[in-house]
Amino acid sequence: MTQRNRILSEPDVLIVGGGIVGSAIFRECARNGLSVQLVESRDFGWDVSAGSTEMAHGGFRYLMALADWPLVFESLTERELLSVNAPHLVRHLNFYMPVYKGDGTTFDFCIPRVPCMPITVGGYFGAGMWMMQAGMILYKVFAALGLIMKGFPPNKDKIGYKKFKKAQMLKIAPQLNPDKLVGGFRFTDCKIEDVERLVIENILSAERYARDTGIAAEAANHAVAEKFETAPDGRVTKVGIRDALTGEVFSCRPKIVVNSTGVLIDRTLEKAGIGEGRELIRKVSGSHIVSPRFLKSPDLTEAYAFWIDKKILFLISKGRDRLLIGTTERDVEVGDGINHNRNFKADIDEITAKTKSRFPEYARDPEKDMYYTRVRPLLRQPGKTDPKAVSRRDLIQWSGKSPNTVSVSGKLGPARHLAEVATKGILAKLKPGAKYATTHKDRYPGGEIEGCMDDCSARLRAAWPDIDPVTLENVARRYGARHAGVLELAKEPRDLDKIVSQPDSQPLCALLFSFKTEHCATLSDAMARTGTHKLFGQGLDGAAKAADYLGEKLGWDAARIKSEIDGYKNFIAERCDTV
């Protein structure tokens, strides 16, 4: 591990789990002058973060529970901050929400210490439109207030909505099923192009803070925290960290331990001998279909949201030629020898049926369709039997058995805010009275561009006129202000060859850039950094080409090249396991 990463022997904070939450806490700690070590057992962002619906959204459906309104407010605020600070990764989409007769849900007037008062709305013609419009108004108000409170002027074009009658809705989307259609709305929410990229930007941002302030901040992937030692009072005093690639073992003696291992939070506490005696996390899977784009509109900012069975079904443009459709909710078990991210045929069939009920001409494409499922860590709420009814509220739980251990989990979009709240608690323990340095106005490394993304793309075309404009656009949309680092590695024409022959593919030199600057240790890491594993074919047709290229650039021998190709095939097989 000494050649790949460095493990701090006595950091202020050790973060176990390098997904979106762990990496966000890593960034907040570094910003506030805490020495911090991040470890991830596989690659950064590989699990729940990689398999999300890739939405930085307010959570329209959560308006149906009064107790979740603060979560919606927080999520909408952070959504807008992400679009400002990471414009290369986060963009607004125009969501159309067609409303059908009978659409509705149960509004839950649950207030602390007040009995629940559920009211069913939408059981007759038109009620769905009233309910949705009320939600649209709240969505707009929450987004505007959140931005004002953070010191940003609200953009009415990005936070407003528009109402449509049935005829207008069918003109916008002629492929919709007209039967029982009442009307619809258009509103905006944000999509993250690839969540793994945001995880990496968190890490790069933290490392930049560390360089600027002289504190130590180290991130290690393929590093397994597997042996915990505790003092008589339960305080974690030492953690053994094993490099999963080399077998080397290192010791870390942190002052504070952050458990951000997602669906494995409870198991991590048990492994450390400080289990709570009750489960903190409920494991709920969400399945998705990545399908060839069948929408006739060329507008790639067009997306759809349907209210079906008390849940939103999303259809989101993904790149130039794909649609991401999802999701479902199912309680699952997480145990040794079980691929908790396996796909369930019943869930894929459910998504297909719901999509076809709204777009009758939709049909699965067995030649191209990709399916993936990720298990989400939700706050365990006794008495909630239906996964759809479980709140998405954050978890920040200081251990009752170990005073220096905190477990943290939450939603993707507002992860920065969750990390800020958690880190404030950590700072209060380590440096009482210290002033907190917030990150809400700090741009991510790739987000430090002048003007908008269209301006950035135009500058790239002017600076590199001999490079294919589509390649330049792909690089700009993935790396933002860091694009020059990728393109400067293109010393010969082969460096600009696409990894796979698809319009959204990155050039081969992006793989090399990942190894040089983004903590890559394997071919699978690099294929994930470049998003190749999410293209049709999942990069399998380009694995040999990519491995040969990296072998030449990095000095791999034939055995290493074969091992990397086999490793990538196994990575994809696990990701696509179906039962």
Side-chain angles (χ1 to χ4, degrees), residues 415-440:
R416 189 211 65 85
H417 178 265
L418 167 63
E420 180 179 288
V421 175
T423 306
K424 283 180 178 178
I426 294 169
L427 193 66
K429 286 179 176 290
L430 296 178
K431 297 182 179 181
K435 184 178 179 180
Y436 194 84
T438 184
T439 60
H440 75 274

Side-chain angles (χ1 to χ4, degrees), residues 47-65:
D47 193 5
V48 179
S49 302
S52 71
T53 313
E54 300 181 339
M55 291 287 294
H57 63 122
F60 189 87
R61 63 176 277 205
Y62 310 137
L63 289 171
M64 298 304 113

Side-chain angles (χ1 to χ4, degrees), residues 241-299:
I241 299 171
R242 176 177 56 85
D243 187 322
L245 300 181
T246 68
E248 293 178 89
V249 177
F250 299 84
S251 295
C252 182
R253 298 179 180 274
K255 297 175 183 176
I256 297 288
V257 175
V258 177
N259 175 13
S260 59
T261 53
V263 295
L264 301 178
I265 277 179
D266 293 309
R267 293 184 67 192
T268 300
L269 292 175
E270 291 170 4
K271 184 166 66 172
I274 53 174
E276 295 291 331
R278 60 182 178 88
E279 289 191 335
L280 301 176
I281 292 297
R282 181 171 182 169
K283 297 88 174 174
V284 177
S285 71
S287 296
H288 307 78
I289 299 176
V290 180
S291 170
R293 183 180 176 85
F294 63 86
L295 300 177
K296 294 178 180 178
S297 169
D299 182 6

Side-chain angles (χ1 to χ4, degrees), residues 19 41 61 88 180 232 299 373 407 550:
S41 63
R61 63 176 277 205
H88 58 307
K180 297 184 179 181
D299 182 6
T373 297
S407 297
L550 289 171

Side-chain angles (χ1 to χ4, degrees), residues 330-472:
R330 172 195 293 267
D331 286 311
V332 294
E333 294 297 324
V334 175
D336 293 332
I338 298 176
N339 176 12
H340 59 268
N341 290 322
R342 61 200 183 280
N343 297 308
F344 292 93
K345 183 178 182 300
D347 290 353
I348 302 301
D349 290 343
E350 177 188 332
I351 294 172
T352 301
K354 287 182 176 180
T355 305
K356 197 169 183 63
S357 73
R358 297 303 188 248
F359 289 104
E361 66 185 65
Y362 168 72
R364 292 220 298 254
D365 184 340
E367 295 296 321
K368 284 193 171 182
D369 280 354
M370 299 185 296
Y371 314 126
Y372 71 88
T373 297
R374 285 300 179 270
V375 180
R376 294 162 290 189
L378 304 184
L379 187 65
R380 181 163 288 281
Q381 297 169 281
K384 296 281 189 179
T385 57
D386 184 352
K388 293 190 289 291
V390 178
S391 172
R392 267 51 176 177
R393 291 195 295 273
D394 299 335
L395 168 73
I396 302 178
Q397 180 72 47
W398 286 90
S399 173
K401 294 185 177 181
S402 178
N404 70 333
T405 302
V406 59
S407 297
V408 186
S409 180
K411 284 184 66 195
L412 164 62
R416 189 211 65 85
H417 178 265
L418 167 63
E420 180 179 288
V421 175
T423 306
K424 283 180 178 178
I426 294 169
L427 193 66
K429 286 179 176 290
L430 296 178
K431 297 182 179 181
K435 184 178 179 180
Y436 194 84
T438 184
T439 60
H440 75 274
K441 289 189 176 182
D442 292 357
R443 291 210 169 196
Y444 291 88
E448 295 175 337
I449 61 174
E450 295 180 13
C452 64
M453 281 306 301
D454 289 340
D455 296 333
C456 179
S457 297
R459 287 193 295 271
L460 258 68
R461 290 192 295 271
W464 281 279
D466 297 329
I467 297 179
D468 173 34
V470 174
T471 297
L472 292 176

